Amino acid sequence: MSKKMHLGWFMNYAPPQWLDPFDRVNTSWTNADFHIEMARMLEGACFDYLMIEDTLMVSNAYGGSTEAALKHALQVPKLDATVLAAAVAKATTKLGVIATASILSYPPFTLARMIASLDHLSDGRFGWNIVTSGEEQAAHNVGLDALPPRQMRYDMADEYVDVVTKLLASWEDDAVVMDRDTATFVDHTKVHEVNYVGKFYKSRGPLNVPQSPQGRPVYLQAGGSPRGRQFAAETADSIVAIAQGIEGMIDYRNDVRARAQAAGRNPDDIKVMFLVTPVLGDSAEEAEAKRHKMVNTDAFITGQLGMISTVTDIDFSAFPLDEPLPPLTTNGEQGSLNKFTQGGSDKTLRELATTETGFASCLPLVGTPASVATQMAEAIEAVGGDGFLLTTPIQHLSRRYVTDITEGLIPALRDLGAVRESYEHDTLRDNLRAF
């Protein structure tokens, strides 16, 4: 029997596939019907969670214009992730639902109130994907003159999570008594002020929401740089990981587990989820042909470069497609940049944009369901855990793609004993810690 793996799905509340005449959806995506249908399919396949990504801008990073972002629907139009999380939570019963919310978007009190409410609404299945935002334009949209330096953003995030966590704990779990004999709904002695005063944030508290079913929602984080990994190791219940191949996955997981151990945490309480983009077919040749069709178009290459420009604030339209890139650094998402450039590879920009369906995949998972399942199971055995966060190539989220996974790949993984066949628990945190 293979080592069991956890599974999540990385998704945007944005338009699904809209170009393929056999697979496109119409404007109904905005009412969440498509995404709710997808969530129910993932729940049927016993995924741990659906993670809904979010950003705060219409990017003009590629070519100094919003044209590429708007023309190719690159993270825009996009609706609010927390709104979709609420809809999905009420349409499912076991699937974890994680929404992205940036520390730039909300005062800590407002964020704590929102995520506690969503944990109640989902009966303990909600999680918060903690992001600092890495886009200059996002900072401008929330009233800042400039995006804070990356190191400072993590310092801010440390403090932000600290005050949010204290606010979430400001109600004891038995504060709500509903005692009819004394006409007492809440025991006021079990609700406490926080009186938090830090370098960046302050909040009096207490929260005006009772303690939520999980005590606090699950925390998800993606850390690529050493400082990001440190923040994730100290904070997260689950980590979105981007690494290069098996050796990179081993190094990443060992690193964050060592950091967690040094911070006094049990590393087994943190589930590292490696981002992958499987492409499936009835044969290896069909899967490769499907991958080739996906990536070898001008629209796909522009989309890839537009996306990596957005998250790194580097204008990749300025570089020749058929030449290697010069050394690059960013105040944006350094981990995404490192993965995209493959650690300073001498590949051309075109090759980087079309390799393994782009920068989102830690492994080249292209083949039949059985062969891809075997690759995934062998990878988790080699790495030691914990699971995979599946996503789609840009512009290719569709019912057909989700069906390939839930009705093709998942049964193949179950044949190997590599994934759960039913949920062990009712809350997201308990399911993450089930194995």
Side-chain angles (χ1 to χ4, degrees):
M1 177 181 291
S2 298
K3 184 179 181 68
K4 277 191 178 178
M5 66 183 75
H6 294 273
L7 294 174
W9 195 294
F10 182 107
M11 184 192 74
N12 286 284
Y13 191 6
Q17 167 65 262
W18 58 279
L19 289 172
D20 188 332
F22 294 102
D23 219 4
R24 64 187 176 194
V25 297
N26 57 30
T27 54
S28 67
W29 72 270
T30 57
N31 68 14
D33 285 351
F34 169 86
H35 297 90
I36 288 170
E37 178 187 356
M38 174 181 171
R40 287 172 170 159
M41 294 169 72
L42 298 182
E43 184 169 70
C46 296
F47 273 64
D48 288 73
Y49 59 76
L50 170 66
M51 193 277 273
I52 309 164
E53 199 271 339
D54 201 17
T55 50
L56 302 173
M57 78 295 169
V58 179
S59 178
N60 62 359
Y62 186 76
S65 167
T66 60
E67 179 182 357
L70 291 167
K71 178 178 180 179
H72 299 293
L74 304 177
Q75 301 202 45
V76 60
K78 178 184 288 192
L79 278 64
D80 190 284
T82 58
V83 173
L84 180 59
V88 167
K90 298 311 291 182
T92 54
T93 60
K94 294 290 187 180
L95 179 71
V97 186
I98 299 179
T100 300
S102 171
I103 67 169
L104 298 186
S105 301
Y106 307 92
F109 183 94
T110 307
L111 184 284
R113 185 172 187 250
M114 178 177 69
I115 66 174
S117 299
L118 285 164
D119 202 37
H120 281 290
L121 190 70
S122 64
D123 296 315
R125 293 180 289 120
F126 181 70
W128 169 34
N129 179 36
I130 308 165
V131 297
T132 62
S133 291
E135 304 88 19
E136 190 72 26
Q137 193 169 345
H140 297 166
N141 285 343
V142 296
L144 300 176
D145 292 331
L147 185 69
R150 184 152 42 93
Q151 300 301 319
M152 180 184 292
R153 296 201 304 274
Y154 279 117
D155 293 342
M156 294 168 67
D158 283 336
E159 190 173 296
Y160 191 102
V161 171
D162 189 26
V163 62
V164 165
T165 303
K166 286 180 167 62
L167 286 164
L168 292 168
S170 61
W171 288 56
E172 296 180 31
D173 59 5
D174 58 350
V176 178
V177 294
M178 288 191 290
D179 187 334
R180 291 182 175 86
D181 292 338
T182 61
T184 303
F185 195 89
V186 177
D187 181 348
H188 77 283
T189 67
K190 297 184 177 184
V191 181
H192 310 288
E193 293 181 11
V194 171
N195 294 315
Y196 190 98
V197 179
K199 180 179 178 181
F200 303 103
Y201 306 102
K202 61 170 62 175
S203 184
R204 174 183 178 274
L207 207 60
N208 59 352
V209 179
Q211 188 174 112
S212 70
Q214 296 183 101
R216 66 160 176 80
V218 161
Y219 289 166
L220 182 73
Q221 218 279 316
S225 67
R227 183 64 177 88
R229 294 185 188 194
Q230 187 66 30
F231 176 66
E234 293 175 357
T235 304
D237 299 293
S238 184
I239 297 175
V240 181
I242 300 175
Q244 188 68 39
I246 297 291
E247 291 305 315
M249 293 164 67
I250 292 171
D251 290 345
Y252 185 102
R253 185 171 183 268
N254 288 346
D255 183 43
V256 295
R257 287 174 61 84
R259 291 173 186 269
Q261 184 91 44
R265 298 188 65 194
N266 178 358
D268 291 339
D269 289 344
I270 304 171
K271 302 306 175 184
V272 180
M273 307 288 273
F274 294 99
L275 203 61
V276 291
T277 309
V279 180
L280 304 176
D282 290 335
S283 65
E285 293 76 18
E286 180 185 316
E288 178 55 38
K290 187 184 295 186
R291 187 202 73 84
H292 189 270
K293 180 181 177 182
M294 285 179 178
V295 304
N296 285 284
T297 66
D298 290 342
F300 182 88
I301 292 171
T302 300
Q304 286 288 84
L305 298 182
M307 285 289 288
I308 192 64
S309 295
T310 295
V311 300
T312 62
D313 271 338
I314 296 172
D315 181 6
F316 281 86
S317 74
F319 302 105
L321 271 178
D322 295 306
E323 295 180 15
L325 288 169
L328 297 170
T329 59
T330 180
N331 188 37
E333 294 185 12
Q334 185 67 47
S336 293
L337 177 62
N338 292 343
K339 178 65 176 72
F340 178 75
T341 60
Q342 299 183 13
S345 165
D346 61 359
K347 291 181 179 178
T348 67
L349 182 56
R350 185 189 304 275
E351 290 170 333
L352 293 172
T354 58
T355 297
E356 298 170 14
T357 68
F359 68 93
S361 196
C362 295
L363 296 171
L365 299 178
V366 181
T368 65
S371 68
V372 169
T374 298
Q375 279 185 270
M376 293 171 68
E378 290 176 348
I380 290 299
E381 289 284 355
V383 174
D386 293 296
F388 291 101
L389 188 63
L390 281 67
T391 190
T392 54
I394 291 172
Q395 303 165 331
H396 287 277
L397 175 62
S398 65
R399 290 182 183 89
R400 186 186 308 184
Y401 188 93
V402 179
T403 300
D404 280 351
I405 300 300
T406 57
E407 298 186 16
L409 180 60
I410 297 303
L413 286 167
R414 285 177 173 167
D415 287 344
L416 299 174
V419 294
R420 62 163 58 93
E421 296 196 19
S422 63
Y423 289 97
E424 298 85 358
H425 302 287
D426 294 325
T427 69
L428 173 54
R429 180 174 288 106
D430 285 345
N431 279 319
L432 282 171
R433 294 184 180 180
F435 52 86

